[in-house]
Amino acid sequence: MRSSFHNRLFLCSFVASSALANEDLMSLLDMPLASLAETKVMSSTRSTQSLADTPAAVYVITAKEINRSGARSVADALALAPGLHVAKFSNYDWGISARSSNQALTNSLLVMVDGRSVLNAMFSGVDWDLIPVSMDNIAQIEVVLGPVGTIWGGNAVNGVINIITLDAENAPKGKVSASLGNYGYKEVKLHHGGQVGDSSHISGYAEYLEHKPWASTEDKVKSQQHYNVVTGRFGARLDYQFLNHTLNLQAGGIRSEEDYLWANYHPHLFFPQRPAHEYYEQTMIAQEWFAGGSHIYERANNDRIESDIWLTYSDNDGLIEMPLLCALIWIAATCLRTCGARSSCSVAMFV
């Protein structure tokens, strides 16, 4: 009797899910092609225009697609985009490439969050597990395939990935969620926001994530399954709009503690009395903090002047060890364009 009840319940759930899926599919098929192409993108030309008018191979991953896919990271969501080669080495190590051979770290693909590059100059690549953005705050991910270096500058050799986050007005408000899974997966998220005055909105989030490095029961990783990966991220955003002026201020960061198995190699020629390899465990800490914002002035004829400035601080104690006074600092100021002018300045510090 109980088995029959469960079978009927499963059948009803399956029929309901199928009906909803068919309804979504029919509504999509009934939508005119012009409406499908009206999705606004900006990554191909650095100016907002409809997808149909974009002179490039562009694919847009929407927030709805991300939610339905169950993706838990940006790299996981990028598997939805055609033309990208997404390889997963562990629960936190990814390799993503476009129109080239794939490798864990590559500097031929420009990755940005709201126009701010997240390329880690210490590794000459993108650490996909250390992108300081919440999955719940993503409005869409724009993927441009092909060289666009004349528009975006360095690293945009094989393509551009631009993660667009939600405005403070549309960000999640009063949201608290917790998730549990196998292989020690634990996640807690806090999101809130609101209106400040007549012309401003503010939003913020804090997230905690813990999991094992391997989602596997193979013998070769059993000896390392007691390792942990602990990640915390936070962010805040303030949007202010007055007449033709729009001001956006953001700040946030991410910190990750990852357990690793390291080894020292001793050549027998120089160390005949020592073993060839000595293994030891160590926790590697990597973090990135950023602050900055952008200002947009809307002019006539759909023209605008946009300027932004970002300050980024990154450190990784597994790469180099030096005091803060010996840190490498560089400042780059580029681009002042007319007819949709844009100026930018970025400051980065690495330890």
PDB file of all heavy atoms in Angstrom, residues 199-226:
ATOM      1  N   SER A 199      16.894  58.259  -3.974  1.00  0.00           N
ATOM      2  CA  SER A 199      17.663  57.982  -5.184  1.00  0.00           C
ATOM      3  C   SER A 199      18.730  56.913  -5.002  1.00  0.00           C
ATOM      4  O   SER A 199      19.532  56.702  -5.916  1.00  0.00           O
ATOM      5  CB  SER A 199      18.336  59.278  -5.681  1.00  0.00           C
ATOM      6  OG  SER A 199      17.408  60.324  -5.839  1.00  0.00           O
ATOM      7  N   SER A 200      18.762  56.229  -3.870  1.00  0.00           N
ATOM      8  CA  SER A 200      19.847  55.282  -3.598  1.00  0.00           C
ATOM      9  C   SER A 200      19.294  53.930  -3.151  1.00  0.00           C
ATOM     10  O   SER A 200      18.241  53.851  -2.512  1.00  0.00           O
ATOM     11  CB  SER A 200      20.792  55.821  -2.516  1.00  0.00           C
ATOM     12  OG  SER A 200      21.287  57.081  -2.858  1.00  0.00           O
ATOM     13  N   HIS A 201      20.029  52.904  -3.497  1.00  0.00           N
ATOM     14  CA  HIS A 201      19.754  51.542  -3.037  1.00  0.00           C
ATOM     15  C   HIS A 201      21.066  50.914  -2.603  1.00  0.00           C
ATOM     16  O   HIS A 201      22.121  51.203  -3.178  1.00  0.00           O
ATOM     17  CB  HIS A 201      19.096  50.698  -4.134  1.00  0.00           C
ATOM     18  CG  HIS A 201      17.703  51.115  -4.467  1.00  0.00           C
ATOM     19  ND1 HIS A 201      17.430  52.160  -5.326  1.00  0.00           N
ATOM     20  CD2 HIS A 201      16.499  50.635  -4.044  1.00  0.00           C
ATOM     21  CE1 HIS A 201      16.118  52.293  -5.433  1.00  0.00           C
ATOM     22  NE2 HIS A 201      15.536  51.386  -4.671  1.00  0.00           N
ATOM     23  N   ILE A 202      20.975  50.056  -1.602  1.00  0.00           N
ATOM     24  CA  ILE A 202      22.172  49.392  -1.080  1.00  0.00           C
ATOM     25  C   ILE A 202      21.868  47.910  -0.900  1.00  0.00           C
ATOM     26  O   ILE A 202      20.737  47.520  -0.600  1.00  0.00           O
ATOM     27  CB  ILE A 202      22.628  50.026   0.256  1.00  0.00           C
ATOM     28  CG1 ILE A 202      24.000  49.481   0.669  1.00  0.00           C
ATOM     29  CG2 ILE A 202      21.597  49.815   1.345  1.00  0.00           C
ATOM     30  CD1 ILE A 202      24.610  50.207   1.850  1.00  0.00           C
ATOM     31  N   SER A 203      22.867  47.073  -1.111  1.00  0.00           N
ATOM     32  CA  SER A 203      22.715  45.636  -0.929  1.00  0.00           C
ATOM     33  C   SER A 203      24.028  45.064  -0.422  1.00  0.00           C
ATOM     34  O   SER A 203      25.100  45.661  -0.607  1.00  0.00           O
ATOM     35  CB  SER A 203      22.306  44.949  -2.236  1.00  0.00           C
ATOM     36  OG  SER A 203      23.349  45.047  -3.199  1.00  0.00           O
ATOM     37  N   GLY A 204      23.948  43.904   0.199  1.00  0.00           N
ATOM     38  CA  GLY A 204      25.146  43.256   0.707  1.00  0.00           C
ATOM     39  C   GLY A 204      24.908  41.779   0.921  1.00  0.00           C
ATOM     40  O   GLY A 204      23.764  41.301   0.958  1.00  0.00           O
ATOM     41  N   TYR A 205      25.993  41.033   1.035  1.00  0.00           N
ATOM     42  CA  TYR A 205      25.889  39.596   1.255  1.00  0.00           C
ATOM     43  C   TYR A 205      27.126  39.090   1.994  1.00  0.00           C
ATOM     44  O   TYR A 205      28.189  39.724   1.981  1.00  0.00           O
ATOM     45  CB  TYR A 205      25.739  38.845  -0.080  1.00  0.00           C
ATOM     46  CG  TYR A 205      26.981  38.856  -0.942  1.00  0.00           C
ATOM     47  CD1 TYR A 205      27.958  37.872  -0.810  1.00  0.00           C
ATOM     48  CD2 TYR A 205      27.187  39.856  -1.891  1.00  0.00           C
ATOM     49  CE1 TYR A 205      29.098  37.887  -1.590  1.00  0.00           C
ATOM     50  CE2 TYR A 205      28.314  39.879  -2.678  1.00  0.00           C
ATOM     51  CZ  TYR A 205      29.269  38.884  -2.520  1.00  0.00           C
ATOM     52  OH  TYR A 205      30.407  38.895  -3.280  1.00  0.00           O
ATOM     53  N   ALA A 206      26.964  37.950   2.636  1.00  0.00           N
ATOM     54  CA  ALA A 206      28.075  37.235   3.275  1.00  0.00           C
ATOM     55  C   ALA A 206      27.806  35.757   3.106  1.00  0.00           C
ATOM     56  O   ALA A 206      26.667  35.287   3.293  1.00  0.00           O
ATOM     57  CB  ALA A 206      28.182  37.607   4.757  1.00  0.00           C
ATOM     58  N   GLU A 207      28.853  35.005   2.737  1.00  0.00           N
ATOM     59  CA  GLU A 207      28.686  33.586   2.459  1.00  0.00           C
ATOM     60  C   GLU A 207      29.839  32.782   3.062  1.00  0.00           C
ATOM     61  O   GLU A 207      30.980  33.258   3.118  1.00  0.00           O
ATOM     62  CB  GLU A 207      28.611  33.333   0.946  1.00  0.00           C
ATOM     63  CG  GLU A 207      27.430  34.001   0.279  1.00  0.00           C
ATOM     64  CD  GLU A 207      27.374  33.743  -1.208  1.00  0.00           C
ATOM     65  OE1 GLU A 207      28.343  33.184  -1.762  1.00  0.00           O
ATOM     66  OE2 GLU A 207      26.356  34.107  -1.827  1.00  0.00           O
ATOM     67  N   TYR A 208      29.530  31.578   3.490  1.00  0.00           N
ATOM     68  CA  TYR A 208      30.527  30.656   4.048  1.00  0.00           C
ATOM     69  C   TYR A 208      30.365  29.313   3.353  1.00  0.00           C
ATOM     70  O   TYR A 208      29.245  28.799   3.202  1.00  0.00           O
ATOM     71  CB  TYR A 208      30.336  30.493   5.555  1.00  0.00           C
ATOM     72  CG  TYR A 208      31.198  29.409   6.174  1.00  0.00           C
ATOM     73  CD1 TYR A 208      32.506  29.680   6.562  1.00  0.00           C
ATOM     74  CD2 TYR A 208      30.692  28.115   6.351  1.00  0.00           C
ATOM     75  CE1 TYR A 208      33.297  28.681   7.134  1.00  0.00           C
ATOM     76  CE2 TYR A 208      31.475  27.119   6.915  1.00  0.00           C
ATOM     77  CZ  TYR A 208      32.780  27.407   7.299  1.00  0.00           C
ATOM     78  OH  TYR A 208      33.556  26.425   7.851  1.00  0.00           O
ATOM     79  N   LEU A 209      31.479  28.732   2.918  1.00  0.00           N
ATOM     80  CA  LEU A 209      31.446  27.477   2.175  1.00  0.00           C
ATOM     81  C   LEU A 209      32.553  26.564   2.678  1.00  0.00           C
ATOM     82  O   LEU A 209      33.689  27.006   2.885  1.00  0.00           O
ATOM     83  CB  LEU A 209      31.624  27.742   0.673  1.00  0.00           C
ATOM     84  CG  LEU A 209      31.794  26.532  -0.242  1.00  0.00           C
ATOM     85  CD1 LEU A 209      30.545  25.670  -0.221  1.00  0.00           C
ATOM     86  CD2 LEU A 209      32.111  26.980  -1.664  1.00  0.00           C
ATOM     87  N   GLU A 210      32.224  25.292   2.856  1.00  0.00           N
ATOM     88  CA  GLU A 210      33.203  24.293   3.288  1.00  0.00           C
ATOM     89  C   GLU A 210      32.934  22.999   2.540  1.00  0.00           C
ATOM     90  O   GLU A 210      31.782  22.569   2.385  1.00  0.00           O
ATOM     91  CB  GLU A 210      33.090  24.066   4.803  1.00  0.00           C
ATOM     92  CG  GLU A 210      34.085  23.058   5.357  1.00  0.00           C
ATOM     93  CD  GLU A 210      33.950  22.876   6.852  1.00  0.00           C
ATOM     94  OE1 GLU A 210      33.315  23.731   7.497  1.00  0.00           O
ATOM     95  OE2 GLU A 210      34.478  21.863   7.375  1.00  0.00           O
ATOM     96  N   HIS A 211      33.990  22.356   2.043  1.00  0.00           N
ATOM     97  CA  HIS A 211      33.828  21.091   1.325  1.00  0.00           C
ATOM     98  C   HIS A 211      35.167  20.359   1.261  1.00  0.00           C
ATOM     99  O   HIS A 211      36.223  20.916   1.565  1.00  0.00           O
ATOM    100  CB  HIS A 211      33.284  21.329  -0.092  1.00  0.00           C
ATOM    101  CG  HIS A 211      34.150  22.223  -0.933  1.00  0.00           C
ATOM    102  ND1 HIS A 211      35.269  21.772  -1.601  1.00  0.00           N
ATOM    103  CD2 HIS A 211      34.073  23.549  -1.213  1.00  0.00           C
ATOM    104  CE1 HIS A 211      35.829  22.755  -2.258  1.00  0.00           C
ATOM    105  NE2 HIS A 211      35.130  23.860  -2.033  1.00  0.00           N
ATOM    106  N   LYS A 212      35.118  19.115   0.842  1.00  0.00           N
ATOM    107  CA  LYS A 212      36.322  18.311   0.651  1.00  0.00           C
ATOM    108  C   LYS A 212      36.942  18.638  -0.710  1.00  0.00           C
ATOM    109  O   LYS A 212      36.257  19.088  -1.621  1.00  0.00           O
ATOM    110  CB  LYS A 212      35.990  16.820   0.723  1.00  0.00           C
ATOM    111  CG  LYS A 212      35.370  16.378   2.037  1.00  0.00           C
ATOM    112  CD  LYS A 212      36.328  16.571   3.199  1.00  0.00           C
ATOM    113  CE  LYS A 212      35.710  16.082   4.502  1.00  0.00           C
ATOM    114  NZ  LYS A 212      36.612  16.309   5.657  1.00  0.00           N
ATOM    115  N   PRO A 213      38.238  18.391  -0.868  1.00  0.00           N
ATOM    116  CA  PRO A 213      38.851  18.727  -2.153  1.00  0.00           C
ATOM    117  C   PRO A 213      38.450  17.807  -3.288  1.00  0.00           C
ATOM    118  O   PRO A 213      38.516  18.193  -4.461  1.00  0.00           O
ATOM    119  CB  PRO A 213      40.357  18.621  -1.859  1.00  0.00           C
ATOM    120  CG  PRO A 213      40.458  17.704  -0.691  1.00  0.00           C
ATOM    121  CD  PRO A 213      39.225  17.940   0.119  1.00  0.00           C
ATOM    122  N   TRP A 214      38.024  16.579  -2.958  1.00  0.00           N
ATOM    123  CA  TRP A 214      37.701  15.615  -4.003  1.00  0.00           C
ATOM    124  C   TRP A 214      36.296  15.069  -3.798  1.00  0.00           C
ATOM    125  O   TRP A 214      35.943  14.650  -2.703  1.00  0.00           O
ATOM    126  CB  TRP A 214      38.691  14.448  -4.013  1.00  0.00           C
ATOM    127  CG  TRP A 214      40.117  14.864  -4.027  1.00  0.00           C
ATOM    128  CD1 TRP A 214      40.960  14.951  -2.965  1.00  0.00           C
ATOM    129  CD2 TRP A 214      40.869  15.281  -5.169  1.00  0.00           C
ATOM    130  NE1 TRP A 214      42.188  15.387  -3.355  1.00  0.00           N
ATOM    131  CE2 TRP A 214      42.168  15.593  -4.715  1.00  0.00           C
ATOM    132  CE3 TRP A 214      40.584  15.410  -6.530  1.00  0.00           C
ATOM    133  CZ2 TRP A 214      43.169  16.038  -5.569  1.00  0.00           C
ATOM    134  CZ3 TRP A 214      41.581  15.840  -7.377  1.00  0.00           C
ATOM    135  CH2 TRP A 214      42.844  16.143  -6.909  1.00  0.00           C
ATOM    136  N   ALA A 215      35.516  15.027  -4.837  1.00  0.00           N
ATOM    137  CA  ALA A 215      34.202  14.381  -4.807  1.00  0.00           C
ATOM    138  C   ALA A 215      34.350  12.998  -5.419  1.00  0.00           C
ATOM    139  O   ALA A 215      33.824  12.688  -6.487  1.00  0.00           O
ATOM    140  CB  ALA A 215      33.169  15.205  -5.568  1.00  0.00           C
ATOM    141  N   SER A 216      35.106  12.156  -4.728  1.00  0.00           N
ATOM    142  CA  SER A 216      35.437  10.839  -5.255  1.00  0.00           C
ATOM    143  C   SER A 216      35.744   9.895  -4.102  1.00  0.00           C
ATOM    144  O   SER A 216      36.151  10.317  -3.017  1.00  0.00           O
ATOM    145  CB  SER A 216      36.636  10.934  -6.205  1.00  0.00           C
ATOM    146  OG  SER A 216      37.081   9.646  -6.596  1.00  0.00           O
ATOM    147  N   THR A 217      35.550   8.596  -4.360  1.00  0.00           N
ATOM    148  CA  THR A 217      35.883   7.564  -3.386  1.00  0.00           C
ATOM    149  C   THR A 217      37.020   6.677  -3.894  1.00  0.00           C
ATOM    150  O   THR A 217      37.243   5.583  -3.365  1.00  0.00           O
ATOM    151  CB  THR A 217      34.650   6.692  -3.077  1.00  0.00           C
ATOM    152  OG1 THR A 217      34.145   6.131  -4.307  1.00  0.00           O
ATOM    153  CG2 THR A 217      33.555   7.531  -2.424  1.00  0.00           C
ATOM    154  N   GLU A 218      37.719   7.135  -4.918  1.00  0.00           N
ATOM    155  CA  GLU A 218      38.816   6.346  -5.469  1.00  0.00           C
ATOM    156  C   GLU A 218      39.939   6.211  -4.446  1.00  0.00           C
ATOM    157  O   GLU A 218      40.160   7.082  -3.601  1.00  0.00           O
ATOM    158  CB  GLU A 218      39.346   7.010  -6.741  1.00  0.00           C
ATOM    159  CG  GLU A 218      38.319   7.084  -7.863  1.00  0.00           C
ATOM    160  CD  GLU A 218      38.917   7.690  -9.125  1.00  0.00           C
ATOM    161  OE1 GLU A 218      40.130   7.576  -9.325  1.00  0.00           O
ATOM    162  OE2 GLU A 218      38.151   8.279  -9.900  1.00  0.00           O
ATOM    163  N   ASP A 219      40.665   5.105  -4.562  1.00  0.00           N
ATOM    164  CA  ASP A 219      41.729   4.825  -3.600  1.00  0.00           C
ATOM    165  C   ASP A 219      42.830   5.876  -3.632  1.00  0.00           C
ATOM    166  O   ASP A 219      43.439   6.185  -2.600  1.00  0.00           O
ATOM    167  CB  ASP A 219      42.325   3.437  -3.881  1.00  0.00           C
ATOM    168  CG  ASP A 219      41.339   2.309  -3.593  1.00  0.00           C
ATOM    169  OD1 ASP A 219      40.421   2.543  -2.788  1.00  0.00           O
ATOM    170  OD2 ASP A 219      41.491   1.224  -4.177  1.00  0.00           O
ATOM    171  N   LYS A 220      43.089   6.459  -4.806  1.00  0.00           N
ATOM    172  CA  LYS A 220      44.194   7.406  -4.922  1.00  0.00           C
ATOM    173  C   LYS A 220      43.945   8.720  -4.202  1.00  0.00           C
ATOM    174  O   LYS A 220      44.880   9.498  -3.994  1.00  0.00           O
ATOM    175  CB  LYS A 220      44.510   7.671  -6.389  1.00  0.00           C
ATOM    176  CG  LYS A 220      43.357   8.258  -7.191  1.00  0.00           C
ATOM    177  CD  LYS A 220      43.741   8.420  -8.651  1.00  0.00           C
ATOM    178  CE  LYS A 220      42.599   8.980  -9.484  1.00  0.00           C
ATOM    179  NZ  LYS A 220      42.979   9.106 -10.918  1.00  0.00           N
ATOM    180  N   VAL A 221      42.685   9.010  -3.831  1.00  0.00           N
ATOM    181  CA  VAL A 221      42.406  10.256  -3.116  1.00  0.00           C
ATOM    182  C   VAL A 221      41.928  10.007  -1.684  1.00  0.00           C
ATOM    183  O   VAL A 221      41.697  10.968  -0.950  1.00  0.00           O
ATOM    184  CB  VAL A 221      41.349  11.100  -3.873  1.00  0.00           C
ATOM    185  CG1 VAL A 221      41.853  11.469  -5.249  1.00  0.00           C
ATOM    186  CG2 VAL A 221      40.022  10.368  -3.946  1.00  0.00           C
ATOM    187  N   LYS A 222      41.790   8.749  -1.286  1.00  0.00           N
ATOM    188  CA  LYS A 222      41.297   8.469   0.063  1.00  0.00           C
ATOM    189  C   LYS A 222      42.230   9.016   1.134  1.00  0.00           C
ATOM    190  O   LYS A 222      41.788   9.458   2.197  1.00  0.00           O
ATOM    191  CB  LYS A 222      41.110   6.958   0.246  1.00  0.00           C
ATOM    192  CG  LYS A 222      39.831   6.418  -0.377  1.00  0.00           C
ATOM    193  CD  LYS A 222      39.636   4.955  -0.044  1.00  0.00           C
ATOM    194  CE  LYS A 222      38.323   4.435  -0.593  1.00  0.00           C
ATOM    195  NZ  LYS A 222      38.122   2.996  -0.290  1.00  0.00           N
ATOM    196  N   SER A 223      43.526   8.992   0.851  1.00  0.00           N
ATOM    197  CA  SER A 223      44.484   9.474   1.848  1.00  0.00           C
ATOM    198  C   SER A 223      44.418  10.980   2.046  1.00  0.00           C
ATOM    199  O   SER A 223      44.978  11.508   3.008  1.00  0.00           O
ATOM    200  CB  SER A 223      45.909   9.081   1.438  1.00  0.00           C
ATOM    201  OG  SER A 223      46.240   9.667   0.183  1.00  0.00           O
ATOM    202  N   GLN A 224      43.720  11.693   1.147  1.00  0.00           N
ATOM    203  CA  GLN A 224      43.632  13.146   1.248  1.00  0.00           C
ATOM    204  C   GLN A 224      42.205  13.631   1.506  1.00  0.00           C
ATOM    205  O   GLN A 224      41.950  14.835   1.481  1.00  0.00           O
ATOM    206  CB  GLN A 224      44.143  13.789  -0.048  1.00  0.00           C
ATOM    207  CG  GLN A 224      45.576  13.415  -0.384  1.00  0.00           C
ATOM    208  CD  GLN A 224      46.022  13.992  -1.710  1.00  0.00           C
ATOM    209  OE1 GLN A 224      45.422  14.924  -2.233  1.00  0.00           O
ATOM    210  NE2 GLN A 224      47.081  13.451  -2.263  1.00  0.00           N
ATOM    211  N   GLN A 225      41.288  12.714   1.775  1.00  0.00           N
ATOM    212  CA  GLN A 225      39.905  13.115   1.964  1.00  0.00           C
ATOM    213  C   GLN A 225      39.639  13.742   3.320  1.00  0.00           C
ATOM    214  O   GLN A 225      38.533  14.191   3.578  1.00  0.00           O
ATOM    215  CB  GLN A 225      38.968  11.910   1.758  1.00  0.00           C
ATOM    216  CG  GLN A 225      38.697  11.583   0.295  1.00  0.00           C
ATOM    217  CD  GLN A 225      37.963  12.699  -0.426  1.00  0.00           C
ATOM    218  OE1 GLN A 225      38.482  13.797  -0.597  1.00  0.00           O
ATOM    219  NE2 GLN A 225      36.739  12.443  -0.857  1.00  0.00           N
ATOM    220  N   HIS A 226      40.642  13.759   4.192  1.00  0.00           N
ATOM    221  CA  HIS A 226      40.450  14.481   5.451  1.00  0.00           C
ATOM    222  C   HIS A 226      40.804  15.959   5.301  1.00  0.00           C
ATOM    223  O   HIS A 226      40.643  16.743   6.234  1.00  0.00           O
ATOM    224  CB  HIS A 226      41.310  13.853   6.554  1.00  0.00           C
ATOM    225  CG  HIS A 226      42.779  13.952   6.301  1.00  0.00           C
ATOM    226  ND1 HIS A 226      43.442  13.169   5.378  1.00  0.00           N
ATOM    227  CD2 HIS A 226      43.734  14.759   6.849  1.00  0.00           C
ATOM    228  CE1 HIS A 226      44.722  13.479   5.369  1.00  0.00           C
ATOM    229  NE2 HIS A 226      44.933  14.441   6.263  1.00  0.00           N
TER     230      HIS A 226
END
